[in-house]
């Protein structure tokens, strides 16, 4: 079973669904940039290894070096971001190339970044949803591995829509993560092929 680390910043409802529906992977670490994150309490109470450190004061590079060390110490193969609200540096993403996935509350490539639900309602969209994607240096820009759709209803506000999308997230993420860990090489290769250095190498061969 692939050892997965789940990175959270808050309540961790996606982390809980990944733990409860784990298949083909085991959650070997729950890590957070917010030592007070509610999800850490749930994880510890359920016997999971936890790690947390605030980047405030020590800086991003030192924080990520400590995170990287904790991930290696736990023997992590794949990182699943689940409501992790901090951008990983290009350097960190490169070190874990093709081995980080994220869930984003929109139908990517629509609405990258924040306030996805308000933006979908404002645009008059008939549907919203969530996407699980490979993490690259481009914000919410890596290969989409799976999506789930929900309707936008006439009386929706951002909170109502968020709740409907969240239920879809809880069903989607464990399923896609299972598929991902069982075919890691394909995903690594797909991502690697988009790198300029690789294109150069292919061109020269
Ligand atoms: C989820 O809706 C997730 O898709 C979103 O934050 C929420 C976290 O909830 N993530 C992002 O917006 C990432 N940019 P949770 O902590 O209960 O899983």
């Amino acid at each position: 079973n692939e050892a997965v680390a789940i990175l959270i910043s808050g309540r961790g409802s996606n982390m809980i669904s990944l733990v409860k529906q784990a298949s083909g992977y085991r959650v070997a670490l729950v890590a957070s940039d917010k030592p007070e994150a509610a999800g850490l309490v749930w994880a510890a109470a359920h016997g999971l290894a936890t790690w947390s450190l605030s980047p405030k004061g020590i800086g991003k590079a030192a924080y990520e070096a400590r995170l990287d060390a904790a991930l290696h110490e736990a023997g992590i193969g794949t990182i699943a971001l689940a409501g992790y609200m901090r951008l990983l540096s290009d350097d960190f993403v490169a070190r874990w190339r093709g081995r980080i996935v994220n869930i984003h509350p929109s139908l990517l490539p629509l609405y990258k970044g924040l306030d996805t639900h308000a933006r979908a309602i404002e645009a008059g969209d008939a549907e919203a949803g969530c996407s699980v994607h490979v993490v690259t240096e481009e914000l919410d820009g890596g290969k989409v591995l799976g999506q789930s759709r929900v309707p936008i209803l006439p009386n929706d506000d951002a909170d109502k829509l968020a709740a409907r999308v969240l239920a879809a997230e809880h069903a989607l993420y464990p399923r896609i993560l299972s598929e991902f860990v069982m075919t890691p090489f394909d995903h690594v290769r797909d991502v690697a092929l988009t790198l300029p250095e690789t294109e150069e190498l292919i061109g020269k061969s």
Side-chain angles (χ1 to χ4, degrees):
N1 267 9
E2 175 85 345
V4 168
I6 305 178
L7 269 55
I8 65 170
S9 296
R11 73 190 155 185
S13 72
N14 274 289
M15 175 271 296
I16 292 170
S17 81
L18 287 170
V19 169
K20 288 188 173 171
Q21 299 177 67
S23 158
Y25 64 86
R26 65 192 168 83
V27 178
L29 187 66
V30 176
S32 184
D33 61 320
K34 294 257 197 290
E36 71 281 13
L40 288 174
V41 178
W42 186 94
H46 288 76
L48 296 166
T50 62
W51 176 94
S52 70
L53 179 67
S54 172
K56 283 180 197 147
I58 62 167
K60 187 169 185 128
Y63 161 79
E64 284 190 344
R66 295 269 302 274
L67 173 61
D68 189 71
L71 294 167
H72 283 292
E73 203 167 304
I76 298 305
T78 296
I79 300 170
L81 308 183
Y84 182 72
M85 302 308 280
R86 193 170 290 276
L87 279 177
L88 294 167
S89 70
D90 289 359
D91 182 58
F92 187 94
V93 171
R95 282 166 182 271
W96 291 88
R97 168 92 48 220
R99 299 200 288 152
I100 313 174
V101 296
N102 179 43
I103 188 154
H104 182 73
S106 78
L107 295 171
L108 291 173
L110 292 175
Y111 313 124
K112 296 173 180 178
L114 299 176
D115 297 323
T116 55
H117 306 301
R119 288 153 71 199
I121 292 168
E122 176 67 19
D125 295 353
E127 282 186 326
C130 50
S131 307
V132 177
H133 65 92
V134 177
V135 172
T136 64
E137 288 83 348
E138 189 198 334
L139 174 69
D140 301 325
K143 176 182 165 147
V144 172
L145 302 169
Q147 291 185 318
S148 184
R149 296 171 176 273
V150 302
I152 298 180
L153 301 177
N155 290 322
D156 272 353
D157 57 23
D159 287 345
K160 283 185 196 167
L161 179 56
R164 195 175 306 120
V165 171
L166 191 65
E169 294 182 43
H170 295 163
L172 180 73
Y173 206 179
R175 183 166 66 76
I176 301 299
L177 183 60
S178 297
E179 286 176 16
F180 181 78
V181 298
M182 286 189 254
T183 50
F185 177 75
D186 284 344
H187 295 294
V188 172
R189 188 182 54 190
D190 283 347
V191 174
L193 281 174
T194 66
L195 292 174
E197 307 94 273
T198 316
E199 277 162 23
E200 269 171 42
L201 285 172
I202 293 165
K204 278 175 196 158
S205 66

